[in-house]
Amino acid sequence: RPRVSGRAQGRSAILEKFGGAATGPAPHLKRMGAAGSVKAMLLEWCRARTRSYQHVDIQNFSGSWGSGLAFCALIHSFFPDAFDYSSLEPHDRRRNFTLAFATAEERADCAPLLDVEDMLRLAVPAAKCVSTYVQELYRSLVAKGLVK
């Protein structure tokens, strides 16, 4: 009987919880050559969606998301009537994370994989947590037909 690592078991549990692994190529994410990865393509997608937003300069999946404004901008780019982005301030992290996560859950049916309190405890969010959440948001938007 083959041994299954704890990491593989964890991945299987997550996939089972969220309806299985996605199949086929991700829509609108073009391969950037042999060195390109889904993570890099997803980061570029986030940059493109938030390029015009004040106080947002996405360079990575950690520090660039620390104020919560990158989440707000990404979600606002799909749901501009959900809230007034121009009223948000970088220092009001609690409001930004709360607004972003609640809007994503309500409007995109995005699973609440991140917790506001956890995000507030960290000055620099964990890259794996942020990229996992953004992947889930992307998947939810595809399911809603908002990303083709």
Side-chain angles (χ1 to χ4, degrees):
R1 186 175 221 205
R3 297 184 78 183
V4 179
S5 71
R7 186 175 183 184
Q9 287 175 336
R11 183 176 187 278
S12 295
I14 289 170
L15 289 174
E16 184 176 318
K17 180 178 179 180
F18 292 109
T23 58
H28 272 58
L29 295 181
K30 296 178 182 154
R31 261 263 172 230
M32 299 182 313
S37 69
V38 170
K39 189 174 174 180
M41 291 181 288
L42 196 61
L43 190 63
E44 185 53 39
W45 174 74
C46 292
R47 282 187 190 128
R49 294 295 311 191
T50 62
R51 198 172 316 270
S52 64
Y53 284 85
Q54 187 175 14
H55 304 297
V56 177
D57 181 20
I58 297 175
Q59 297 298 316
N60 53 46
F61 280 118
S62 58
S64 297
W65 303 81
S67 72
L69 287 179
F71 291 109
C72 287
L74 185 57
I75 291 158
H76 188 264
S77 74
F78 287 97
F79 306 104
D81 62 327
F83 54 88
D84 179 12
Y85 181 86
S86 66
S87 72
L88 303 177
E89 296 292 335
H91 68 273
D92 198 352
R93 297 175 69 219
R94 178 179 301 279
R95 178 179 179 215
N96 299 339
F97 288 125
T98 301
L99 182 61
F101 300 157
T103 304
E105 187 174 1
E106 178 186 311
R107 298 278 183 111
D109 296 326
C110 182
L113 301 179
L114 294 179
D115 180 70
V116 173
E117 296 304 320
D118 290 340
M119 296 301 287
L120 293 173
R121 274 191 276 278
L122 303 169
V124 178
K128 285 185 180 181
C129 293
V130 172
S131 65
T132 299
Y133 182 83
V134 172
Q135 286 177 47
E136 176 62 17
L137 177 62
Y138 183 89
R139 188 195 64 72
S140 298
L141 292 166
V142 167
K144 287 259 185 205
L146 298 171
V147 176
K148 296 185 175 34

